[in-house]
């Protein structure tokens, strides 16, 4: 199969020799024709090997490019999107919203008492907790819901075409899923998270949307952690500022 083209070239050349022998008879030098045939086949084989080598190089380059892209866009510890990429995905969602796409929501997630986990069990255990939390949350999300590590023990989730009620339901599933994550495997201690939700219903920047999600997350932690809080709408924030 690899040398099918070369066999075709050889067969074609032999057929050409046969036709020439029939037409020109004794005037052909079969030794020269044989040398020509060998050179043609050798050249064809060389080109086939060169083409195969170039094709393999291209495949390796594609694989290397994909690996570099993964390294550039993925968080090395958790395998989720890194900060730069999740920011870019959020910006893209805001652009789609400005063009008339459906409302979407953000979930800003923070692992509760993460410093205590590091202090008590060590940083390797803390790394394992972050990986397990990311894995548990990813299992509850749709394929269109990007999950990214926002920084430290914080994660950001973008929920396209999602109402506030649907975002609350999703956040509730995340709370339950993460509640099954244990610190250090056999430890009785369980991991919990707090979640702040913000809905984008009007034209705004990523900073303002993240600020509302962050304020909601702060409220969830202030009220006792292991819970969900919903951010104030942009219109409500503007009303509050104008009344001050």
């Amino acid at each position: 199969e690899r040398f099918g083209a070369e066999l075709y070239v050889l067969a074609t050349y032999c057929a050409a020799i046969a036709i020439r022998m029939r037409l020109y008879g004794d005037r052909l030098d079969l030794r020269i024709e044989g040398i020509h045939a060998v050179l043609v086949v050798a050249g064809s084989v060389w080109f086939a090997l060169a083409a195969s080598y170039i094709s393999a190089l291209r495949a390796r380059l594609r694989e290397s490019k994909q690996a570099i892209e993964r390294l550039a866009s993925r968080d090395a510890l958790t395998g989720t999107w890194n900060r730069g990429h999740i920011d870019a995905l959020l910006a893209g969602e805001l652009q789609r919203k400005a063009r008339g796409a459906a409302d979407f929501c953000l979930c800003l997630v923070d692992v509760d008492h993460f410093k205590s986990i590091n202090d008590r069990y060590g940083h390797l255990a803390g790394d394992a907790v972050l990986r397990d939390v990311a894995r548990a949350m990813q299992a509850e999300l749709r394929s269109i819901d990007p999950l990214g590590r926002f920084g430290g023990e914080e994660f950001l989730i973008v929920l396209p075409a999602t109402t506030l009620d649907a975002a609350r339901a999703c956040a509730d599933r995340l709370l339950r899923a993460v509640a099954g994550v244990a610190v250090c495997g056999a430890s009785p201690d369980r991991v919990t998270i707090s979640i702040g939700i913000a809905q984008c219903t009007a034209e705004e920047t990523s900073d303002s949307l993240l600020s509302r999600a962050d304020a909601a997350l702060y409220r969830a932690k202030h009220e006792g952690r292991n819970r969900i809080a919903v951010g104030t709408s942009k219109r409500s924030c503007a009303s509050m500022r104008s009344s001050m």
Side-chain angles (χ1 to χ4, degrees):
E1 183 177 317
R2 183 175 182 179
F3 297 105
E6 291 72 24
L7 293 175
Y8 175 77
V9 170
L10 179 60
T12 303
Y13 193 79
C14 289
I17 292 175
I19 293 172
R20 291 168 65 191
M21 287 183 63
R22 187 174 183 84
L23 293 176
Y24 303 110
D26 296 336
R27 285 178 289 177
L28 289 179
D29 188 333
L30 292 181
R31 290 176 299 175
I32 294 177
E33 296 296 336
I35 292 172
H36 287 170
V38 170
L39 291 175
V40 168
V41 172
S44 299
V45 169
W46 186 89
F47 279 113
L49 291 174
S52 176
Y53 179 71
I54 292 172
S55 178
L57 278 181
R58 287 177 174 172
R60 289 170 60 185
L61 284 173
R62 282 195 298 270
E63 291 173 359
S64 298
K65 181 182 178 182
Q66 291 170 355
I68 291 171
E69 289 174 347
R70 284 195 296 271
L71 289 173
S73 59
R74 291 286 181 179
D75 176 62
L77 176 63
T78 63
T80 62
W81 298 120
N82 61 24
R83 174 65 185 270
H85 195 74
I86 196 68
D87 280 344
L89 293 174
L90 172 57
E93 200 60 39
L94 283 167
Q95 290 174 0
R96 282 188 287 274
K97 173 59 184 168
R99 293 194 297 267
D103 295 343
F104 71 94
C105 292
L106 292 185
C107 289
L108 193 57
V109 182
D110 186 86
V111 179
D112 296 328
H113 302 295
F114 186 70
K115 184 179 184 302
S116 298
I117 294 174
N118 277 335
D119 292 343
R120 183 175 180 182
Y121 295 98
H123 288 279
L124 290 179
D127 289 347
V129 164
L130 292 178
R131 285 193 295 268
D132 291 344
V133 167
R135 191 178 301 115
M137 291 194 298
Q138 191 71 71
E140 298 298 326
L141 298 173
R142 303 169 298 180
S143 60
I144 63 170
D145 299 333
L147 166 65
R149 189 177 178 191
F150 199 62
E153 67 273 21
E154 286 188 340
F155 295 88
L156 179 66
I157 303 169
V158 182
L159 301 173
T162 302
T163 64
L164 197 54
D165 286 342
R168 283 193 184 109
C170 176
D172 189 56
R173 292 195 302 272
L174 297 178
L175 285 183
R176 293 197 302 270
V178 172
V181 174
V183 182
C184 285
S187 168
D189 294 337
R190 288 294 185 268
V191 181
T192 63
I193 55 175
S194 300
I195 304 177
I197 303 174
Q199 182 183 35
C200 180
T201 57
E203 184 178 349
E204 62 179 322
T205 66
S206 59
D207 285 345
S208 64
L209 188 58
L210 286 168
S211 178
R212 293 194 289 112
D214 187 58
L217 174 61
Y218 178 82
R219 191 167 71 253
K221 297 184 81 68
H222 181 72
E223 292 173 356
R225 296 181 171 83
N226 191 26
R227 65 191 63 226
I228 302 161
V230 178
T232 308
S233 68
K234 185 183 178 185
R235 183 179 297 107
S236 298
C237 289
S239 300
M240 289 173 62
R241 285 196 298 269
S242 62
S243 63
M244 293 178 63

